[in-house]
Amino acid sequence: MGNKNSSTSENEAEASSIKSNAAKNNRASAGNTDEIITYEKLAERRSVDRAQTPFFRIMIGVNILAWISMVVVLVLFHYARPELITGLQEYWGIEGNTSWSEEHLSAMTIMLQVCVVLSLISIVMRAKRNRRKTDSFGVNLFILIAIAAISLITLVTTLGL
């Protein structure tokens, strides 16, 4: 009888030590899978396409707003400029508006300033986002800021705003 009890207690001790070792191995392997970085984990790291992220959408929205402000500037320029008086109008004595519209000019300068600021914000956002060699450069923003800056400089120098 003594042998049966001792063998049973030895079997129970072995079983409990095996269970505790298995539990330790499971915890260790669970910890190791979090620490081990595989190619599959890197590939699945970005579950959302870069073009669908909120930052990208905001950046595109700011870019579109900058171009819309430039279109508004062009419309304001059309209404702000003086009328062209042809030789026929002068011959018949028809008078036309020969001065710039101050209201439209002030709105135009404000919109040009908004365009420059929005372009700068979009350029900075694009610089923060683009880290790969394959990312686009955003030449349209530099063209837009150049047009807006030259227009502002021209308005200030010629009309003294």
Side-chain angles (χ1 to χ4, degrees):
M1 278 190 163
N3 286 343
K4 285 186 179 179
N5 287 337
S6 65
S7 67
T8 307
S9 64
E10 287 176 8
N11 289 340
E12 289 174 2
E14 273 184 48
S16 65
S17 68
I18 290 173
K19 286 180 185 177
S20 65
N21 287 338
K24 287 179 185 176
N25 288 338
N26 285 339
R27 278 186 254 134
S29 66
N32 288 341
T33 57
D34 291 338
E35 295 173 10
I36 296 173
I37 298 174
T38 62
Y39 181 75
E40 290 80 20
K41 284 186 181 179
L42 285 176
E44 293 174 6
R45 178 180 63 91
R46 183 174 293 278
S47 61
V48 178
D49 185 29
R50 290 181 74 215
Q52 301 301 321
T53 60
F55 186 79
F56 180 78
R57 289 182 178 182
I58 291 170
M59 185 180 68
I60 294 297
V62 170
N63 192 356
I64 290 171
L65 284 176
W67 279 102
I68 288 172
S69 67
M70 180 54 77
V71 170
V72 170
V73 166
L74 292 174
V75 170
L76 287 170
F77 174 77
H78 173 72
Y79 288 111
R81 67 184 177 179
E83 294 176 5
L84 176 68
I85 299 181
T86 62
L88 185 61
Q89 286 175 326
E90 195 173 315
Y91 176 75
W92 284 345
I94 300 173
E95 293 183 18
N97 187 8
T98 58
S99 63
W100 287 82
S101 170
E102 292 295 324
E103 299 153 355
H104 290 100
L105 276 177
S106 63
M108 190 168 70
T109 55
I110 290 170
M111 288 305 295
L112 279 170
Q113 292 169 353
V114 167
C115 183
V116 167
V117 169
L118 288 175
S119 298
L120 284 174
I121 290 170
S122 191
I123 287 171
V124 169
M125 289 176 78
R126 185 175 291 269
K128 288 276 188 190
R129 181 178 180 273
N130 290 349
R131 294 182 300 255
R132 294 174 179 86
K133 289 181 180 179
T134 58
D135 289 339
S136 62
F137 186 63
V139 176
N140 68 339
L141 292 170
F142 291 102
I143 292 171
L144 180 64
I145 201 167
I147 291 170
I150 290 170
S151 300
L152 272 173
I153 292 168
T154 303
L155 278 177
V156 168
T157 57
T158 57
L159 299 177
L161 295 177

